[in-house]
């Protein structure tokens, strides 16, 4: 997708785009901060257990895998919002 | 032909293909330091993705990871956690550092830091720590190659010979092609690694236990302590939360600071390429799962390998797989080892010349390239001899190297984000951090709560950096701004004209 494909009427004003990008960036930083606590002591303690099993995996392993997948989605989301804001510049 | 000979034939075929890819790729870049170190800053998304992934996943993931799962259970889960958290900051600071690199012509991380904080001592310290941290990391890779060769050929190809052959090939293409050769061989090796890891990780548990779920059912009955973090220590006693958590944090902090990885911000074509690499990175991280499955499959297996790090080849040889598959596994493990080892050797040599020598002696472009090549050979040889005499586990080697690399984090973040930081503050912090790290490495029993020495070093490093910076005169505003604001390049400015 390039800048020409987006008509100005649907893109919103550049200022809104910048703000959305800044908010997305801050949310991502919050997400990674929460994750940092969730994968070490003490955040990991309640999830360091075998049951319930998820897709055959012990819960602890599934928990840590969940954060990997969620991270990919969050980073992708930020890039979409930021990409839009940059194209609007 | 005997089985081990068939396996060896597959592996040698693979090495030849890798060598050919490396030599061909090296012919495509210009003859200059920028060409040798930064591949003319021309890597696109696919190359960047596999270089990053293949560089990060090494013999450590392929052999050390399953080895730790096998002997220490969930202790190894720390490896699952640090990768994504470690690379995420690259999304935010990578494009900024990349812009500064293009603007001022930096090819190494130390040049960036010494650009903001002009000091030859900082530059030299970066070079010394980099080389010191690279040596155990390269040793780990070479041990991995030796383990694979020796295990799958029943010792017909010795550990020493296996490591020597694999790294002979690496030396050839790194010397001939520099980072372009490293890049294109990693694309090839990254693909081989991923396919093999998933194939084996699903096949072995299914064959032995009837599936992943049934395998964990059995382990939960017999050895439940292996399935919950923080897992076990090397002697089989429970590991402490302090040690587990600080292993994660030390690796998160140090991850991006690995000079060979950080230097990739200077090789990428543009900001978007870097950002996309970060977004795709977690897909590489998921490939630890099948490797861990193989380690768990070994837990209840009747026979045991000589050392935990040998569990991966042990399981493969005990599963009655055809010689071709065993050969391909070796290729995958060698790919993992070599694709990291090559970048490390190349990175260490580039840094030693650019940051350790160039600030002190005037060198021509040509002299630098010759010196880099000489150093690749010298460092490779040093690591090889240390690798064949050392006896530590692969994971231990890497964790030790991380402690040193962690000390780069405060200077790099200060250079990019803190206007008030001063040269004296950064230098004092760096020295204090290194001393703290080495002290606790040598006296591990003195560590509070068994916290990793790298984290203890970073705490002291950061505190000293802040206190000394505030006590010394601030840098000129325009100078600090050039780094902290790192304005967009002309191309982006042009795009803003229509506003």
């Amino acid at each position: 997708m390039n800048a020409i494909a987006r008509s100005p009427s649907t893109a919103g004003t550049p200022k809104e785009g910048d703000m959305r990008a800044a908010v997305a960036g801050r949310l991502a930083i919050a997400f990674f901060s929460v994750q940092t606590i969730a994968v070490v002591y003490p955040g990991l303690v309640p999830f360091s257990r075998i049951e319930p099993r998820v897709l055959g995996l012990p819960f602890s392993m599934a928990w840590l895998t969940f954060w990997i997948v969620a991270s990919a989605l969050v980073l992708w989301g930020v890039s979409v919002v930021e990409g839009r804001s940059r194209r609007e510049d | 032909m005997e089985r081990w000979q068939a396996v060896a034939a597959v592996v040698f075929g693979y090495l030849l293909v890798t060598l050919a890819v490396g030599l061909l790729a090296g012919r495509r870049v210009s003859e200059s330091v920028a060409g040798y170190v930064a591949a003319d800053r021309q890597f696109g998304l696919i190359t960047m993705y596999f270089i990053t992934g293949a560089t990060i996943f090494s013999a450590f993931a392929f052999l050390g990871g399953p080895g730790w799962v096998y002997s220490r259970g969930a202790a190894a889960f720390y490896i699952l956690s640090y990768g994504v958290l470690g690379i995420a900051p690259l999304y935010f600071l990578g494009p900024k550092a990349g812009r500064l690199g293009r603007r001022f012509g930096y090819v190494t991380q130390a040049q960036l830091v010494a650009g903001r904080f002009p000091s030859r001592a900082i530059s030299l310290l970066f070079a010394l720590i980099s080389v010191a941290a690279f040596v155990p990391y390269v040793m780990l890779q070479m041990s991995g190659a030796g383990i694979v060769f020796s295990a799958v050929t029943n010792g017909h190809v010795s550990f020493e010979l296996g490591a020597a052959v694999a790294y002979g090939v690496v030396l050839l293409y790194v010397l001939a092609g520099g980072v372009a050769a490293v890049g294109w061989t990693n694309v090839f090796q990254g693909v081989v690694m991923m396919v093999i890891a998933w194939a084996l990780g699903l096949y072995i548990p299914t064959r032995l236990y009837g599936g992943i779920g049934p395998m964990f059912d059995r382990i939960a009955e017999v050895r439940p302590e292996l399935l919950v973090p923080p897992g076990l220590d090397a002697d089989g006693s429970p590991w402490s939360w302090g040690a587990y958590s600080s292993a994660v944090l030390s690796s998160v902090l140090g991850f991006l600071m690995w000079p060979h990885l950080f230097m990739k911000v200077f090789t990428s074509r543009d900001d978007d390429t870097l950002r996309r690499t970060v977004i795709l990175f977690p897909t590489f991280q998921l490939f630890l799962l099948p490797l861990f499955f193989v380690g768990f499959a070994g837990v209840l297996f009747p026979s045991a390998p000589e050392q935990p790090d040998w569990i991966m080849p042990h399981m493969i040889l005990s599963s009655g797989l055809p010689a071709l598959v065993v050969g391909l596994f070796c290729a995958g493990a060698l790919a993992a080892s070599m694709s990291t080892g090559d970048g490390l050797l190349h990175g260490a040599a580039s840094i030693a010349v650019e940051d350790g020598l160039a600030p002190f002696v005037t060198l021509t472009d040509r002299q630098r390239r010759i010196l880099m090549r000489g150093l690749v050979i010298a460092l490779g040889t040093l690591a090889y001899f240390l690798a064949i005499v050392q006896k530590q586990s692969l994971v231990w080697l890497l964790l030790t190297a991380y402690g040193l690399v962690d000390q780069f984090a405060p200077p790099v973040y200060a250079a990019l984000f803190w206007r008030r930081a001063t040269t004296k503050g950064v230098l004092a912090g760096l020295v204090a951090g290194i001393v703290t790290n080495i002290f606790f490495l040598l006296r591990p029993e003195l560590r509070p709560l068994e916290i990793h020495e790298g984290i203890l070093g970073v705490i002291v490093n950061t505190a000293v950096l802040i206190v000394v910076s505030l006590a010394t005169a601030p840098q000129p505003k325009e100078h600090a701004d050039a780094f902290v604001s790192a304005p967009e390049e002309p191309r982006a400015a042009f795009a803003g004209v229509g506003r």
Side-chain angles (χ1 to χ4, degrees), chain A residues 18-70:
Chain A
D18 284 351
M19 255 170 62
R20 275 199 301 273
V23 170
R26 248 174 248 139
L27 284 176
I29 290 169
F31 167 84
F32 286 110
S33 309
V34 171
Q35 176 173 180
T36 307
I37 297 163
V39 299
V40 298
Y41 182 88
L44 178 56
V45 177
F47 307 97
S48 179
R49 49 197 292 164
I50 299 174
E51 302 292 338
R53 304 275 296 280
V54 181
L55 298 171
L57 300 180
F59 191 79
S60 56
M61 205 174 178
W63 172 251
L64 299 174
T65 307
F66 156 78
W67 285 102
I68 297 176
V69 177

Side-chain angles (χ1 to χ4, degrees), chain B residues 242-302:
Chain B
Y244 179 94
S245 304
S246 61
V248 174
L249 295 178
S250 161
S251 306
V252 165
L253 260 184
F255 196 81
L256 263 193
M257 296 301 138
W258 273 102
H260 64 294
L261 182 60
F262 195 91
M263 282 161 75
K264 301 290 186 258
V265 306
F266 302 122
T267 56
S268 97
R269 194 184 292 157
D270 53 38
D271 297 356
D272 282 345
T273 313
L274 258 183
R275 289 202 182 92
R276 260 177 262 141
T277 307
V278 179
I279 298 164
L280 293 171
F281 179 78
T283 56
F284 258 117
Q285 196 67 2
L286 289 173
F287 126 113
L288 285 168
L289 291 176
L291 297 173
F292 282 11
F293 295 158
V294 178
F296 277 121
V299 168
L300 301 176
F301 200 65

Side-chain angles (χ1 to χ4, degrees), chain B residues 138-176:
Chain B
V138 175
M139 283 165 63
L140 181 169
Q141 306 308 332
M142 291 182 168
S143 301
I147 288 172
V148 166
F149 264 110
S150 155
V152 299
T153 59
N154 294 329
H156 282 96
V157 175
S158 67
F159 177 89
E160 291 80 3
L161 180 63
V165 169
Y167 277 80
V169 169
V170 169
L171 274 184
L172 273 177
Y173 70 71
V174 171
L175 290 178

